Amino acid sequence: MFIGTMWASTYKHHVNRPIILVAISLFILSTAHIVVNIIRLENGFVKYRNTFPGGPAAFFQDISQPTFFVKNMIYGFQTMLGDGVLIYRCYVVWQSIGIIILPSLLWCSCSAATLIAIFDALQANGGNVFTGQTRVWVVAMVTLTLSTNLISSGLVAYRIWMMERKVSTMRATSDTLMPIVRVLVDATIIYSGMLLVMLICFVSDNNVQFIIQDMIMPIIPIAFYMVFIRITFRNITHSDLSTVYSAGSNERESSLRHHPTQPLQFICPDGRIRTVS
């Protein structure tokens, strides 16, 4: 999907630099997260298997480990970048600063909670993520990013839906904006659903939240790539259809100019031949 996004953002040499920058950043962050996870697995199950007090289970729950700090720092940066793209998309659709005030405040609060939670965990002497102030800040961070995602995506979908209602009565073709709404809703459901499951698992002190967090990391860029690729392909398809239609119309007009229509003759019920110019 990353390659598809790169192709779509440079289609017909129309380079979309912001999209390319965001796509590359998301790809680098998600790849770095996988690398750090591999290092953590090797440290927990191989390197410190017999030397770390409590074994691998205690190692992976120790929030003071450097790899835990790096992993969650990457997650925090990617979450902030993904939510920032949603807010920017909301601004582009509405063309209003006022409409993004609330999402922006939520984004700033989420960013602050993320950084505080990460550095609080770094300064801890052992322990796990479910105890102390770290738990409070993590719950706040997940709740805020979930709210930002739902509000921003909802505003974008609502705006497009309202535009569709206004132009539907005046539209001469069957073209519609509703496929774009469906794409946005699909991406929102995937990401928000995973965030909700992660929040429930974390509040329940369930270690499954670590698995959900690792799944969310690739979902953030996938949701971004999915929306951009599907909208780009839709625009390409409609552009090609418009080109074919225009060419066909021009060809018919040219044919009419060079080959004037002949009088039309048909047989009436009484047997007479009638000519119509």
Side-chain angles (χ1 to χ4, degrees):
M1 295 189 75
F2 170 73
I3 295 175
T5 303
M6 291 294 99
W7 174 84
S9 59
T10 57
Y11 180 72
K12 290 185 177 180
H13 305 290
H14 295 159
V15 180
N16 194 327
R17 289 185 175 85
I19 294 296
I20 292 177
L21 181 61
V22 173
I24 293 175
S25 300
L26 291 173
F27 178 76
I28 292 174
L29 289 171
S30 58
T31 304
H33 187 266
I34 294 175
V35 173
V36 174
N37 270 339
I38 294 174
I39 295 173
R40 277 178 60 79
L41 290 173
E42 182 184 3
N43 290 344
F45 288 116
V46 180
K47 190 174 182 179
Y48 301 117
R49 177 182 180 86
N50 299 319
T51 59
F52 194 86
F59 174 84
F60 290 118
Q61 288 192 344
D62 186 6
I63 61 177
S64 62
Q65 290 294 320
T67 51
F68 182 87
F69 167 77
V70 175
K71 170 185 174 179
N72 285 277
M73 181 65 75
I74 294 172
Y75 171 74
F77 284 150
Q78 181 151 313
T79 299
M80 287 186 281
L81 180 60
D83 290 349
V85 170
L86 285 175
I87 295 173
Y88 175 73
R89 187 181 294 158
C90 184
Y91 168 74
V92 170
V93 172
W94 282 87
Q95 289 295 305
S96 172
I97 295 293
I99 203 70
I100 65 170
I101 290 178
L102 179 58
S104 299
L105 291 175
L106 291 173
W107 181 85
C108 293
S109 301
C110 177
S111 302
T114 302
L115 296 176
I116 293 173
I118 293 172
F119 284 101
D120 184 73
L122 182 64
Q123 295 174 358
N125 295 320
N128 59 63
V129 73
F130 301 114
T131 59
Q133 288 296 315
T134 303
R135 175 190 178 91
V136 177
W137 289 114
V138 171
V139 171
M141 182 269 294
V142 178
T143 304
L144 289 168
T145 187
L146 178 60
S147 301
T148 304
N149 182 72
L150 290 175
I151 293 175
S152 300
S153 300
L155 287 171
V156 173
Y158 174 75
R159 178 64 170 174
I160 296 176
W161 179 70
M162 290 298 295
M163 293 169 60
E164 170 66 20
R165 286 190 60 187
K166 290 180 179 179
V167 302
S168 60
T169 57
M170 300 178 291
R171 184 184 295 116
T173 65
S174 60
D175 190 18
T176 176
L177 297 174
M178 291 310 294
I180 298 178
V181 176
R182 287 194 289 269
V183 172
L184 294 171
V185 171
D186 289 345
T188 303
I189 290 175
I190 293 173
Y191 182 49
S192 300
M194 295 300 294
L195 283 175
L196 183 60
V197 173
M198 177 181 171
L199 181 61
I200 294 173
C201 291
F202 189 87
V203 173
S204 304
D205 296 346
N206 195 318
N207 287 325
V208 174
Q209 71 94 16
F210 292 110
I211 301 175
I212 301 299
Q213 182 188 19
D214 291 338
M215 294 173 62
I216 287 176
M217 283 299 295
I219 286 177
I220 295 175
I222 286 174
F224 172 79
Y225 300 152
M226 179 178 70
V227 171
F228 184 74
I229 290 175
R230 290 180 66 177
I231 291 177
T232 300
F233 271 104
R234 178 182 179 276
N235 293 338
I236 292 173
T237 302
H238 285 281
S239 176
D240 291 343
L241 288 175
S242 299
T243 302
V244 171
Y245 179 78
S246 299
S249 300
N250 294 337
E251 183 177 348
R252 286 194 297 271
E253 293 175 0
S254 176
S255 177
L256 290 173
R257 286 195 300 268
H258 290 86
H259 305 282
T261 56
Q262 299 297 325
L264 177 64
Q265 295 180 332
F266 62 93
I267 300 177
C268 297
D270 59 0
R272 293 178 300 169
I273 298 177
R274 185 177 180 181
T275 302
V276 180
S277 300

